[in-house]
Amino acid sequence: MFLDPAATPGFKRTLFNAIVAPRPIGWISTVDALGRVNLAPFSHFNLVSTAPPVVMFSCNAPADRPEKDTIANVRETGEFVTNLVTWSLRQPMNASSFNAPRGVDEFELAGLAKAPCVLVKPPRVAASPASMECRLLRIIDIDPIGPDDTRSNVVLGLVVGVHLDERYVDADGYFDTARTEPLTRLDGNRYATVGPLDVLGRPSPRRD
């Protein structure tokens, strides 16, 4: 089966989310220029590089306003925080995805406690085992190409600070990701956490 997204009638664009899965969730906290706090999850989220440490998240423009509050806040302040979502935090994460009016504090909607950051103004999710303070590098605006497309925003941020729950850090300083049971997004509204694990060494050149 071959599908041309632009030429296939009724092409389901959610297919991309089903293929590129599981996806880590960036639980992004921001503040606007007035200091009002926002918290929202984004399943288009990932690490871009480690030296320098750079993360990215992206989202489509909503139908009821020019862009989502998270993007607007990052444009205003140049700062954001990523918070690791665990399986046990899936319900508060889902609650924070509510399409609330600008200025509404999703921490309060989801019943989440805030914790202060060191180098940026947005608070972090106190219950999250790992949070990263970020400063904006750039925002890439992806304009619509087809008639059914929406504008998207890709945010790149430099990680300037990391908060870790010491219970998940081993004696050698490594963070035990699997033990935190990170929440991942699949297709539709389905979520999952880690499954079977394996350790694969890097292959070495064959010598006959």
Side-chain angles (χ1 to χ4, degrees):
M1 177 186 291
F2 172 77
L3 299 174
D4 180 343
T8 303
F11 179 82
K12 298 185 182 301
R13 296 184 178 274
T14 54
L15 183 67
F16 297 121
N17 291 334
I19 295 172
V20 185
R23 299 184 306 283
I25 300 170
W27 210 3
I28 310 297
S29 49
T30 59
V31 296
D32 64 14
L34 300 176
R36 297 177 298 183
V37 175
N38 182 271
L39 178 67
F42 296 89
S43 64
H44 294 170
F45 165 79
N46 222 309
L47 181 71
V48 176
S49 67
T50 57
V54 176
V55 295
M56 64 75 62
F57 71 93
S58 68
C59 64
N60 295 330
D64 59 338
R65 54 195 186 280
E67 57 189 6
K68 291 189 175 180
D69 296 344
T70 299
I71 302 295
N73 291 352
V74 172
R75 287 192 196 276
E76 289 180 7
T77 67
E79 298 178 341
F80 64 93
V81 178
T82 75
N83 301 276
L84 177 63
V85 186
T86 63
W87 179 255
S88 63
L89 290 171
R90 65 190 183 280
Q91 293 297 345
M93 179 281 301
N94 192 46
S96 71
S97 69
F98 179 73
N99 188 21
R102 186 170 173 84
V104 172
D105 188 334
E106 286 83 3
F107 277 86
E108 295 181 1
L109 281 180
L112 291 163
K114 301 182 181 79
C117 284
V118 176
L119 299 175
V120 300
K121 291 181 180 179
R124 55 193 172 91
V125 176
S128 175
S131 299
M132 296 185 289
E133 302 183 16
C134 301
R135 291 205 176 105
L136 175 65
L137 285 177
R138 69 183 63 176
I139 297 177
I140 302 170
D141 298 323
I142 302 176
D143 295 324
I145 297 174
D148 298 325
D149 292 345
T150 57
R151 186 167 54 85
S152 297
N153 309 108
V154 181
V155 179
L156 297 172
L158 176 69
V159 179
V160 296
V162 181
H163 298 265
L164 299 175
D165 185 330
E166 294 181 357
R167 292 176 297 176
Y168 301 101
V169 180
D170 66 21
D172 296 321
Y174 290 102
F175 184 71
D176 191 343
T177 310
R179 202 158 62 86
T180 68
E181 296 187 301
L183 190 69
T184 62
R185 183 78 179 268
L186 305 176
D187 58 316
N189 291 322
R190 296 196 299 173
Y191 294 83
T193 186
V194 293
L197 299 177
D198 194 5
V199 178
L200 302 176
R202 290 184 63 85
S204 58
R206 180 177 176 179
R207 296 180 179 177
D208 295 326

